[in-house]
Amino acid sequence: MPDRRDLARAAWRTLTSRPIYRNPWIHVREDIAELPDGRTTVYGVVECAPCVGVLPFLGPGTVVLVGQYRYVAREFLWEIPTGGMHSGESEEAAVQRELAEEAGYRAGRLVKLCAFDTSKSILDETAHLYLAEDLTAVAHAPDATEFIEVRAFPFAEVVRMVVASEIKDSMTVIAVLHAARRLGM
Amino acid sequence: MPDRRDLARAAWRTLTSRPIYRNPWIHVREDIAELPDGRTTVYGVVECAPCVGVLPFLGPGTVVLVGQYRYVAREFLWEIPTGGMHSGESEEAAVQRELAEEAGYRAGRLVKLCAFDTSKSILDETAHLYLAEDLTAVAHAPDATEFIEVRAFPFAEVVRMVVASEIKDSMTVIAVLHAARRLGM
């Protein structure tokens, strides 16, 4: 009889998998999975590309945020530049592309902060977060579906916005808390 | 002619919305949305219940984590107790239920850390995070689909696991970074 520790670590086997829906950003599939005790469950999984986010420091105490209307939340929100990685693109290339497209900067130095799973039970999405320094302004070419406001904020104010849950995006929250920790703030 | 700032803040109008898929945990719909410049786009939205997560302190420097095989990531991962809120349930009731079901404790004191959006572009999911103290052991009744290992960790070790990206769940990462900040760690 396997013990609780073995059951917690046992891989769930995929018995069947069928595609449900696909658009340019997400792919939904429905699996039948076998649990460690032999029972089965339906499991809907939403697949999408890995994504990157970048916290750009204009100077020691100043960061750049982008503000946009978020269709899912139905409100205007401030965030770091984020976006999905393109096929074959490196993390650093995706970071520089999103930083240029959304904020109009190129970074002279990128530091990786962490990688995390945005919503582990539903979404197959890994986010890679970077801190950017040595910024230089570049031509601004936003995506066709992006309407973005760019603004410099004191980093201390951004930390306050995160602590107050005024900033709500997981990628921005984690990048700001990691950076604040590194800076002893 | 509206300026960039107005376009960034303008609400996107939903022209049509059709249900795509539903299981007990997620509901996928496909909208046609009108952008601020009058163009339209397909938008797939995944809806699910709001969720809660709780970082339980057994003592000043010790926390309880739960470990389980995660089907989407296909690996065993350590996390704080988390789960979806039931219909009509308060955040605090959901936190106490998940803490009891997954870790076997009841909290004498709950402190709200923050609320955030797990994956803003795809998923309509808000996560509410709490810190729990004054724990007492209760009967353990895990969900039928949950096979969970429970272990006490030094909080400093959990902070190290977050910084090293060994802990990957967004709810756990954010709860640990917020708590470390409050404790000056």
Side-chain angles (χ1 to χ4, degrees):
Chain A
M1 186 80 183
D3 72 7
R4 189 166 184 83
R5 186 168 181 284
D6 291 332
L7 287 175
R9 286 163 193 267
W12 298 16
R13 205 155 58 95
T14 303
L15 301 182
T16 65
S17 188
R18 69 184 177 100
I20 299 284
Y21 171 74
R22 184 185 288 278
N23 71 26
W25 302 280
I26 64 173
H27 175 206
V28 182
R29 66 174 215 263
E30 185 186 78
D31 293 358
I32 305 294
E34 188 184 60
L35 306 181
D37 62 1
R39 287 175 305 132
T40 60
T41 186
V42 165
Y43 209 119
V45 178
V46 181
E47 300 172 353
C48 61
C51 56
V52 295
V54 54
L55 177 62
F57 276 83
L58 265 179
T62 308
V63 297
V64 180
L65 296 186
V66 293
Q68 59 189 309
Y69 180 79
R70 282 298 183 179
Y71 181 69
V72 175
R74 297 196 181 276
E75 59 180 326
F76 174 90
L77 292 165
W78 289 106
E79 302 161 4
I80 59 172
T82 63
M85 288 172 65
H86 293 178
S87 178
E89 193 177 38
S90 71
E91 290 174 26
E92 290 77 4
V95 165
Q96 295 282 15
R97 180 178 49 71
E98 292 293 343
L99 183 59
E101 282 176 7
E102 299 197 349
Y105 288 100
R106 178 168 182 85
R109 180 164 179 259
L110 294 176
V111 179
K112 184 145 190 189
L113 292 171
C114 69
F116 72 98
D117 299 327
T118 57
S119 185
K120 64 200 177 286
S121 303
I122 297 168
L123 196 53
D124 191 357
E125 181 181 54
T126 302
H128 302 277
L129 297 183
Y130 284 77
L131 189 152
E133 295 170 325
D134 299 337
L135 304 186
T136 49
V138 295
H140 205 73
D143 266 11
T145 56
E146 291 181 318
F147 301 92
I148 294 174
E149 185 179 341
V150 182
R151 189 189 292 181
F153 288 81
F155 185 56
E157 165 66 3
V158 173
V159 173
R160 188 203 61 75
M161 291 161 78
V162 164
V163 170
S165 299
E166 291 167 19
I167 285 176
K168 296 178 185 173
D169 162 47
S170 64
M171 298 175 77
T172 306
V173 170
I174 293 176
V176 168
L177 289 175
H178 266 302
R181 185 177 165 73
R182 284 171 176 245
L183 295 169
M185 286 178 66
Chain B
M1 187 78 182
D3 72 8
R4 189 167 184 82
R5 186 168 182 284
D6 291 332
L7 288 175
R9 285 163 193 268
W12 298 16
R13 205 154 58 95
T14 303
L15 301 182
T16 65
S17 187
R18 69 183 176 100
I20 299 285
Y21 171 75
R22 184 185 288 277
N23 71 25
W25 302 279
I26 64 173
H27 174 206
V28 182
R29 65 174 216 262
E30 185 185 78
D31 293 358
I32 305 293
E34 188 185 60
L35 306 181
D37 61 1
R39 286 175 305 133
T40 60
T41 185
V42 165
Y43 209 120
V45 178
V46 181
E47 301 172 353
C48 61
C51 55
V52 295
V54 54
L55 176 61
F57 276 83
L58 265 179
T62 308
V63 297
V64 180
L65 296 186
V66 293
Q68 59 190 309
Y69 180 79
R70 282 299 183 178
Y71 181 69
V72 175
R74 297 195 181 275
E75 61 181 324
F76 175 90
L77 292 164
W78 289 106
E79 303 161 2
I80 59 173
T82 63
M85 288 172 65
H86 293 177
S87 178
E89 193 177 38
S90 70
E91 290 174 26
E92 290 78 4
V95 164
Q96 295 282 13
R97 181 178 47 72
E98 291 294 343
L99 183 60
E101 283 176 7
E102 299 197 350
Y105 288 100
R106 179 166 182 86
R109 181 164 177 257
L110 293 176
V111 180
K112 183 145 190 189
L113 292 171
C114 70
F116 73 98
D117 299 328
T118 56
S119 185
K120 64 201 177 285
S121 303
I122 296 167
L123 195 54
D124 191 356
E125 181 181 54
T126 302
H128 302 276
L129 297 183
Y130 285 77
L131 187 152
E133 294 170 324
D134 299 337
L135 304 185
T136 48
V138 294
H140 206 74
D143 266 12
T145 56
E146 292 181 318
F147 300 93
I148 294 174
E149 184 179 342
V150 182
R151 189 190 292 180
F153 287 81
F155 185 57
E157 165 67 1
V158 172
V159 172
R160 187 202 63 74
M161 291 162 78
V162 163
V163 170
S165 299
E166 292 167 20
I167 285 176
K168 297 179 184 172
D169 162 45
S170 65
M171 298 174 78
T172 306
V173 170
I174 293 176
V176 168
L177 290 174
H178 266 301
R181 187 179 164 71
R182 282 169 177 247
L183 295 170
M185 285 178 67

